[in-house]
Amino acid sequence: MTARRSVLAFAAASGRVAHVLVVQGTVKSVGMSRKASVGPKEARAYAARQIERFRPDNVITEKLLTRSKKGAKTREIIGALRSVAELADVESIAVMRDQAHANRFVEAQDLARRYPTLQPYLPKVRRIWDPEPKTLIYFEALSLIETTFG
C-alpha cells in the first residue's frame, strides 16, 4: 500500500454491513450498521455517509461469483454499496475474497496480528451451534483491502 493511500472497504453479511478504513497501513476506523442491512436503499445511504465522512482514495467492495454463499439480499446490498462507490469521486475496486486461510477465524487471527488495532474485535472460535460473531465482518472487510494491496 502506498504511503499516503486511504482505503475504505465495505463488507456485508446477514444482518450487518461494516466498514474498515485503513490510512497509511493503519486501521483508523471500523463501524457496523444493522440498519444498512435492511435493504439496498439503507446500504446506499450508509456507504454515501462513510465515503463523505472519510473521503478515501479507494473504496473496495466484494466481487461476487455467480455461485456465492451469500444470500440474495446480501448480494443486493453488496451491489448497492458498489453502486455508491462507483458514483463517488473515488477509485472503486471490486475484488473476490481470497481463501488463503483454513477458515475465517484463522484469517481474523492473522489480520489481528498485523493490525493490532483490531485485537479487541478478534472473535473467539465458535462452537458449531453458536451464532457467527458479529465482529468477524471487520476482518472480512480488511481482507478485501489485503487482497487488493497486501
Side-chain angles (χ1 to χ4, degrees), residues 73-144:
K73 183 177 179 182
T74 301
R75 294 169 66 87
E76 286 180 3
I77 288 168
I78 291 170
L81 296 168
R82 186 172 332 145
S83 71
V84 171
E86 289 171 350
L87 293 174
D89 188 23
V90 298
E91 182 182 0
S92 175
I93 304 168
V95 298
M96 292 188 315
R97 287 219 341 114
D98 189 15
Q99 192 68 33
H101 297 81
N103 60 54
R104 294 187 310 157
F105 292 95
V106 173
E107 177 182 48
Q109 290 169 345
D110 182 44
L111 290 169
R113 241 187 328 275
R114 290 185 282 136
Y115 295 89
T117 308
L118 288 182
Q119 284 285 338
Y121 302 103
L122 190 61
K124 293 179 174 60
V125 177
R126 69 181 177 129
R127 295 171 295 197
I128 192 100
W129 56 85
D130 289 337
E132 180 179 284
K134 303 273 186 247
T135 58
L136 202 53
I137 196 166
Y138 295 137
F139 297 96
E140 187 174 326
L142 185 56
S143 76
L144 295 174

Side-chain angles (χ1 to χ4, degrees), residues 40-55:
K41 177 183 171 188
E42 292 81 3
R44 281 191 291 276
Y46 178 76
R49 277 193 311 274
Q50 302 315 318
I51 292 169
E52 178 65 26
R53 176 181 172 200
F54 297 118
R55 299 190 181 272

